[in-house]
Amino acid sequence: MDRPQGRDSSGDMLLQNYRFGKTLGHGSFGRVKVAEHLLTGSKVAIKILNRRRMKSRNKSSEEEKVRRETKICRLFVHPHIIRLYEVIETQAEIYVVMEYVKSGELFDYIVEKGKLQEDEARKFFQQIISGVEYCHRNMVVHRDLKPENLLVDARGNVKIADFGLSNVMRDGHFLKTSCGSPNYAAPEVVSGNLYAGPEVDVWSCGVILYALLCGTLPFDDENIPNLFKKIRIDEDVIQEVVRMGFEKQHVVECLRNRIQNDATVAYYLLSDNQSPVPSGYLGDQFQEPIEYGPVGMHPNGTLNVPDGHQFPQDLRPQLMSETKWVIGLQSAAHPREIMTQILLALQKLNVRWKTIGPYNMKCLWYHGSHNPKGMSSSHGQDNHCVNNESLTICNDYNAQSMVKFEIQLYKTEADKYLLDLQRIQGPAFFFLDLCAHFLMQLGVLN
Ligand code: 6Z2
């Protein structure tokens, strides 16, 4: 028992509803204790965070973690996600009252049992996926999924814990933060590339499934740089091709554009001979190819354009079966040149904008306000920049035909830029229409 003594603030009053028991574990943040909720007799697990210790160590990051976790978990109700019941703040500490899970870590379970039977692994995996799907549906990426963060209760049910590294996704915005355990990290995360969010959790789930079925990790090395090398699979093959005397940038470019030459043939031969031959239902060579249109819409409202449809100038038509999909529009032009092209196209479409940053704008467009022949920009209206307030004022046009959207240019990798358009407000079809006109202006669609 160690209920805090102290001033009778409301936090201390609330703590009197609990009787504290033994410590379950220690984290970077503080400790987790088991407690009894006196009114109901239910057992809970209480995370105790010491404000002073949090401040002295790394104020912003520690506090930020707690805020994130509590903000997200408070709203979540799912059988495979740890419940958060209440947060009690006292002057010295923050008490986070959570669901108590009787057994322990899935990690210990695997270590103890070695690899699991397929039936048991399947049950765990389905439960993990159901919890992760719930997070993603609610726009949260966990980013630190691993057996050490998964609890198994007395009935053998999985509970996802530790949302300290999670993040809220915003439609059309990419994440870059590299976090989580390196063994479970996706190639784009270890390479420091942009990611939308869910895909990094999906990768971690794959690593967990491997660990469940094999009792070992698919990528492991004591040396972190070597571990990263293993995770970036095709990177190794590229290196091998480079050792044969080809220039790296050239190899990457040719692979990306599906150009057949000595370098790419060597690459495919090496990579095919490294990986096991696909078999069974996943390796069916008679599977029907999936056909995609040239430009599509991601369900979250982001515009999808196949790689190779580069803009503004170098448009390379490709066979549909050869298209590799990316989100947004990609270009290798100078970012300032790309922005100029974008602004010119927007101006032609009578779009008004407010600059948020050099590569980020909030835009306003009225459906039907564009001139299909592109003749309207000589209206004496050469400054399309507006201030914040006028973005919400509708003058000549009907408010129902208004589309608000955001434009952001991202740097993806060396000399590659990605343009993303995101609808903020207004009918989705009008936004699609805007996108189509915009692509036509840029010369991507004809
Ligand atoms: C809830 C937490 C437990 C842990 C039982 C929260 N640990 N229940 C338990 C918890 C929690 N039960 N026996 C042994 C260890 N922890 C969610 C409040 O943070 C810590 C935790 C979390 C994930 C793990 C292991 C421990 C202690 F995988």
Side-chain angles (χ1 to χ4, degrees):
M1 308 273 173
D2 62 331
R3 185 175 317 149
Q5 309 286 306
R7 297 175 257 275
D8 69 342
S9 63
S10 62
D12 294 325
M13 289 289 284
L14 289 168
L15 281 175
Q16 285 165 20
N17 289 328
Y18 297 95
R19 179 163 53 218
F20 284 78
K22 66 169 190 192
T23 299
L24 284 171
H26 292 266
S28 56
F29 43 81
R31 60 221 145 115
V32 181
K33 280 182 166 286
V34 66
E36 185 192 337
H37 181 246
L38 295 172
L39 291 171
T40 58
S42 314
K43 272 191 173 174
V44 292
I46 304 186
K47 256 190 195 182
I48 305 166
L49 311 143
N50 185 297
R51 284 181 195 273
R52 201 161 353 108
R53 206 174 319 150
M54 269 187 345
K55 283 213 165 78
S56 65
R57 197 177 314 195
N58 189 343
K59 182 181 166 171
S60 49
S61 92
E62 294 281 319
E63 277 202 71
E64 177 62 24
K65 267 191 190 174
V66 178
R67 301 240 170 277
R68 271 191 189 168
E69 172 152 43
T70 51
K71 194 177 93 190
I72 289 164
C73 287
R74 230 178 199 158
L75 301 169
F76 278 13
V77 181
H78 188 276
H80 301 297
I81 296 172
I82 287 281
R83 289 272 286 130
L84 190 156
Y85 296 107
E86 65 174 327
V87 179
I88 300 169
E89 305 211 16
T90 65
Q91 276 187 342
E93 271 144 338
I94 301 172
Y95 294 79
V96 186
V97 181
M98 304 183 95
E99 176 180 352
Y100 168 64
V101 179
K102 199 160 178 202
S103 294
E105 292 180 20
L106 178 62
F107 180 83
D108 294 333
Y109 192 87
I110 300 172
V111 170
E112 214 170 282
K113 283 192 110 176
K115 59 181 178 193
L116 309 185
Q117 291 292 314
E118 270 186 36
D119 278 350
E120 194 175 17
R122 183 186 300 115
K123 179 189 162 187
F124 283 152
F125 190 64
Q126 282 172 347
Q127 295 187 347
I128 297 164
I129 292 296
S130 122
V132 172
E133 192 204 11
Y134 178 87
C135 295
H136 294 175
R137 221 184 314 131
N138 290 292
M139 301 304 278
V140 167
V141 231
H142 187 285
R143 301 200 294 188
D144 194 19
L145 291 169
K146 54 183 174 185
E148 295 90 319
N149 283 339
L150 301 171
L151 287 156
V152 182
D153 73 9
R155 284 190 227 129
N157 292 318
V158 176
K159 305 275 177 176
I160 302 173
D162 207 338
F163 281 75
L165 293 178
S166 63
N167 204 344
V168 177
M169 295 180 263
R170 284 176 58 205
D171 254 359
H173 284 255
F174 294 93
L175 303 166
K176 199 172 186 223
T177 316
S178 176
C179 47
S181 159
N183 291 97
Y184 299 86
E188 55 272 33
V189 174
V190 304
S191 303
N193 289 340
L194 294 168
Y195 55 90
E199 71 275 31
V200 307
D201 282 347
V202 171
W203 175 279
S204 307
C205 287
V207 178
I208 291 168
L209 178 61
Y210 185 102
L212 290 172
L213 290 170
C214 305
T216 56
L217 289 165
F219 310 105
D220 205 9
D221 203 295
E222 281 176 21
N223 178 287
I224 298 289
N226 282 345
L227 172 61
F228 284 3
K229 233 180 258 165
K230 288 179 182 171
I231 295 170
R232 298 195 302 239
I233 308 147
D234 46 351
E235 188 66 32
D236 284 353
V237 183
I238 289 171
Q239 281 309 328
E240 222 167 307
V241 178
V242 170
R243 274 198 291 278
M244 293 170 179
F246 296 98
E247 211 234 317
K248 183 171 177 185
Q249 202 55 41
H250 173 70
V251 179
V252 173
E253 270 306 298
C254 292
L255 284 170
R256 207 165 268 151
N257 295 313
R258 311 272 170 158
I259 292 164
Q260 184 191 313
N261 58 27
D262 295 356
T264 56
V265 169
Y267 172 90
Y268 289 122
L269 281 170
L270 283 172
S271 82
D272 287 354
N273 289 332
Q274 275 194 359
S275 52
V277 178
S279 62
Y281 59 96
L282 289 175
D284 191 346
Q285 52 185 304
F286 299 110
Q287 223 170 295
E288 288 277 315
I290 304 164
E291 297 235 348
Y292 298 103
V295 178
M297 208 51 195
H298 192 265
N300 71 10
T302 307
L303 188 67
N304 286 328
V305 176
D307 198 2
H309 284 251
Q310 307 210 336
F311 75 107
Q313 291 95 356
D314 62 334
L315 176 64
R316 272 169 297 203
Q318 286 183 330
L319 285 176
M320 209 53 86
S321 60
E322 289 184 351
T323 41
K324 179 188 156 212
W325 283 75
V326 294
I327 304 170
L329 281 165
Q330 277 209 95
S331 173
H334 189 281
R336 219 165 326 137
E337 171 61 17
I338 299 172
M339 287 312 288
T340 308
Q341 295 288 336
I342 291 166
L343 297 183
L344 278 169
L346 292 179
Q347 201 168 30
K348 288 239 175 73
L349 295 173
N350 264 328
V351 169
R352 291 182 242 174
W353 65 81
K354 175 193 174 217
T355 303
I356 310 293
Y359 302 109
N360 182 205
M361 279 115 50
K362 287 236 162 88
C363 304
L364 178 67
W365 185 66
Y366 289 95
H367 188 256
S369 73
H370 66 286
N371 183 326
K373 289 170 192 77
M375 308 261 280
S376 67
S377 54
S378 56
H379 241 105
Q381 235 194 326
D382 32 8
N383 189 1
H384 285 245
C385 296
V386 288
N387 62 30
N388 205 3
E389 294 89 76
S390 50
L391 270 181
T392 54
I393 296 169
C394 34
N395 21 22
D396 322 346
Y397 302 105
N398 187 339
Q400 283 175 358
S401 67
M402 182 183 75
V403 181
K404 273 191 199 172
F405 60 99
E406 194 171 326
I407 276 188
Q408 168 93 56
L409 188 69
Y410 293 92
K411 183 170 166 56
T412 53
E413 49 199 284
D415 308 321
K416 275 273 179 332
Y417 299 90
L418 189 144
L419 177 68
D420 185 69
L421 270 74
Q422 185 206 350
R423 179 173 65 99
I424 298 170
Q425 196 189 315
F429 275 113
F430 288 175
F431 174 65
L432 269 176
D433 225 21
L434 175 272
C435 290
H437 288 298
F438 179 64
L439 293 174
M440 269 191 270
Q441 277 298 340
L442 289 172
V444 178
L445 272 186
N446 284 307

